[in-house]
Amino acid sequence: MMSHLGRPKEGPTDKYSLKHLVGHLSHLLGGITVQFAGDCIGQEAVDKAAAMKPGEVLMLENLRFYKEEEKGDKAFAEKLSKLGEVYVNDAFGTAHRAHASTAVIADYFQADKKMFGLLMEGEVRSAEKVLHEAQKPFTAIIGGAKVSDKILIIENLLNKATDIIIGGGMAYTFYKAMGGEIGNSLCENDRLELAKEIMTKAKEKGVHFHLPVDSIIADKFDAAANTHSAPSDAIPSGWMGLDIGTEAIEHFRNLIMSSRTILWNGPMGVFEMEKFQNGTKSIALAVAEATAIGAFSLVGGGDSVAAVNKFNLADKVSYVSTGGGAMLEYFEGKVLPGIAAVKHT
Ligand code: AMP
């Protein structure tokens, strides 16, 4: 087994050593003794790997103690490849990176000696189901702070989805672009034209584009702020939209309940604060309810995953992706090196 932990900058660092995980890994594997090599390449790793018998487990030290890992160094990848007969990639979280152990190494294995692990298989199957086999209506719910982070995924989804719901801070850039008053709400002033273009493209492609008609507004970005509700395009100056409002929830809920396929990335508001969690919670509940009556739902992206976990709904949606950046890039339509390395060669 090989993996990385954290982002060690200066080579071997005790705090990032995988030796600390050996006991827990052994427990997870039902008590099997897990051996450990104090370096992921070199003689100790070679000797310990060569001496292994069926049923034994050897864990290698943190791959990122070598800069070669993130650089995708071929010689380093080849050395790693020599330690095993079969390559199983189960690292979806890093599938969007062409690192030595997650992509480059696959070149040193024959086609029938490299494969996905169960997690990777689940991720790829769920993503493909949404990207290429989505039953309609297909509703994509995109939230979060910034339009700029989500442009590519929105553009790709304009070719796939029936409906796109926009929530969270990014909604206000769209309202501002249409001439709305958004007070102190989040806004990317350099993306106003882009927001208009996205809305025009949606119209051209016949995709229904939904913004939250109302918002919960606050007089400061604070858990104890004063709050009101207001139309999202008429927010008084000095106030900011921090969650979607009750009308928006009702509207989005109806759309979600009539969908056959649902993709959700990004919260509807500042769900970390109790006063502004209702939008995200209501959407999470709607996604869970739609799933119970037969829709396929995929939730991904760090904050939306945190949200379904917070509201104890992770097992009520069809699939919760473990990849933040990887999931986003997958849905942007990019080829992920970690997947391509195993799948297409
Ligand atoms: P992202 O990382 O882009 O998915 O954004 C997630 C973050 O956006 C979360 O921490 C939310 O608190 C924050 N967020 C969501 N809606 C708003 C909003 N209306 N105003 C400010 N921040 C927001």
Side-chain angles (χ1 to χ4, degrees), residues 144-146 149-150 168-169 172 186 221 241-242 267 269-270 272 303:
K146 289 183 174 172
D149 290 343
K150 308 279 163 96
Y172 303 102
L186 270 188
F221 189 88
L242 294 185
V270 185
E272 299 92 335
D303 283 306

Side-chain angles (χ1 to χ4, degrees), residues 11-339:
T13 321
D14 185 67
K15 145 168 138 165
Y16 295 122
S17 172
L18 290 188
K19 72 180 180 213
H20 304 302
L21 307 187
V22 164
H24 189 62
L25 178 61
S26 166
H27 170 73
L28 291 175
L29 293 174
I32 290 176
T33 304
V34 172
Q35 301 175 54
F36 184 71
D39 191 352
C40 61
I41 53 172
Q43 204 54 47
E44 183 195 354
V46 170
D47 291 345
K48 286 191 169 164
M52 285 173 74
K53 295 183 200 68
E56 292 184 349
V57 175
L58 168 67
M59 183 149 75
L60 305 177
E61 181 56 288
N62 195 342
L63 295 159
R64 289 198 184 169
F65 286 171
Y66 286 88
K67 294 213 174 355
E68 287 84 344
E69 163 64 357
E70 288 180 79
K71 285 190 181 141
D73 183 84
K74 287 188 180 178
F76 178 71
E78 186 174 12
K79 281 181 199 157
L80 292 172
S81 75
K82 298 267 186 277
L83 301 174
E85 289 158 7
V86 168
Y87 173 64
V88 182
N89 185 356
D90 218 8
F92 182 69
T94 47
H96 56 318
R97 312 261 183 240
H99 292 172
S101 73
T102 59
V104 181
I105 188 173
D107 289 345
Y108 300 97
F109 289 86
Q110 300 288 334
D112 63 341
K113 300 280 187 206
K114 51 185 160 187
M115 57 207 75
F116 293 149
L118 298 177
L119 176 98
M120 193 75 145
E121 188 185 25
E123 293 278 359
V124 171
R125 284 221 171 123
S126 312
E128 296 285 304
K129 211 164 162 165
V130 171
L131 277 174
H132 303 300
E133 301 150 31
Q135 288 189 31
K136 305 284 170 84
F138 167 15
T139 300
I141 311 161
I142 307 294
K146 289 183 174 172
V147 183
S148 49
D149 290 343
K150 308 279 163 96
I151 295 163
L152 297 174
I153 188 170
I154 294 174
E155 293 207 324
N156 196 34
L157 290 168
L158 285 173
N159 300 316
K160 314 255 176 210
T162 331
D163 294 83
I164 296 182
I165 289 175
I166 301 286
M170 60 191 280
Y172 303 102
T173 299
F174 288 95
Y175 274 114
K176 176 92 180 276
M178 292 188 290
E181 297 291 336
I182 60 165
N184 288 355
S185 306
L186 270 188
C187 181
E188 287 174 277
N189 283 311
D190 54 342
R191 303 294 160 143
L192 297 175
E193 277 311 306
L194 182 90
K196 278 191 210 159
E197 275 167 36
I198 290 175
M199 291 186 283
T200 307
K201 270 194 205 161
K203 211 173 252 169
E204 283 165 8
K205 289 174 188 282
V207 177
H208 307 292
F209 198 78
H210 309 274
L211 292 165
V213 284
D214 59 343
S215 294
I216 301 300
I217 59 170
D219 58 354
K220 52 183 179 225
F221 189 88
D222 193 291
N226 293 309
T227 60
H228 279 296
S229 67
S232 299
D233 61 354
I235 297 177
S237 70
W239 291 74
M240 61 186 85
L242 294 185
D243 195 8
I244 58 173
T246 47
E247 264 187 68
I249 290 173
E250 188 59 23
H251 172 209
F252 293 171
R253 194 188 137 73
N254 289 337
L255 286 167
I256 291 165
M257 291 308 291
S258 58
S259 303
R260 302 285 303 148
T261 306
I262 301 159
L263 172 69
W264 181 19
N265 179 294
M268 298 289 102
V270 185
F271 73 103
E272 299 92 335
M273 299 181 194
E274 208 178 329
K275 278 194 173 175
F276 312 110
Q277 69 170 25
N278 189 41
T280 303
K281 186 176 185 177
S282 305
I283 293 313
L285 279 167
V287 173
E289 268 181 64
T291 310
I293 57 168
F296 182 80
S297 57
L298 196 163
V299 181
D303 283 306
S304 16
V305 173
V308 288
N309 285 330
K310 180 169 178 170
F311 306 127
N312 291 320
L313 294 167
D315 58 350
K316 303 246 175 353
V317 298
S318 309
Y319 197 81
V320 179
S321 176
T322 57
M327 190 259 185
L328 208 53
E329 289 196 22
Y330 210 157
F331 283 90
E332 287 170 358
K334 293 196 181 125
V335 172
L336 305 193
I339 293 175

